[in-house]
Amino acid sequence: MLTMNETKLHLRVDHDDDDSLIAGLIETASAAVANHLNVTTVAEPVPAPVRAAALLLVADLYEHREAQTDRPLTRNATYENLLAPYRVYA
């Protein structure tokens, strides 16, 4: 769904040190988006809003990869709003 180059550009990462981490986050975000959409895989070509939601998720996971909190996590309304039109309801 996302390429390494576009993801690193979005993250503003200009080194290769975190490539394996970013690759894992791309895989995680792709699975999370598919799960949110209630599909097995996201069909190509991926609509721009779905790509943007995946990039938001990767950025959040990358930025907060070591964060721990005792507060409940909040929902990301932008992520949900970007994906809502593409969600499959059974």
Side-chain angles (χ1 to χ4, degrees):
M1 175 188 312
L2 300 174
T3 68
M4 179 65 72
N5 287 338
E6 73 180 319
T7 304
K8 287 175 74 171
L9 182 63
H10 179 77
L11 297 174
R12 296 185 178 132
V13 171
D14 60 0
H15 55 78
D16 298 333
D17 299 344
D18 291 340
D19 280 6
S20 61
L21 170 65
I22 294 169
L25 297 178
I26 291 170
E27 186 177 333
T28 299
S30 297
V33 166
N35 183 55
H36 188 87
L37 296 177
N38 293 325
V39 297
T40 305
T41 57
V42 179
E44 296 285 341
V46 178
V50 175
R51 294 181 81 74
L55 286 168
L56 282 175
L57 186 54
V58 169
D60 188 52
L61 292 169
Y62 184 78
E63 184 68 26
H64 301 106
R65 61 191 175 271
E66 295 178 12
Q68 294 184 6
T69 180
D70 58 353
R71 295 180 175 204
L73 299 175
T74 59
R75 294 171 37 191
N76 185 328
T78 303
Y79 172 83
E80 292 178 3
N81 289 334
L82 286 169
L83 294 178
Y86 304 96
R87 191 160 191 200
V88 175
Y89 294 93

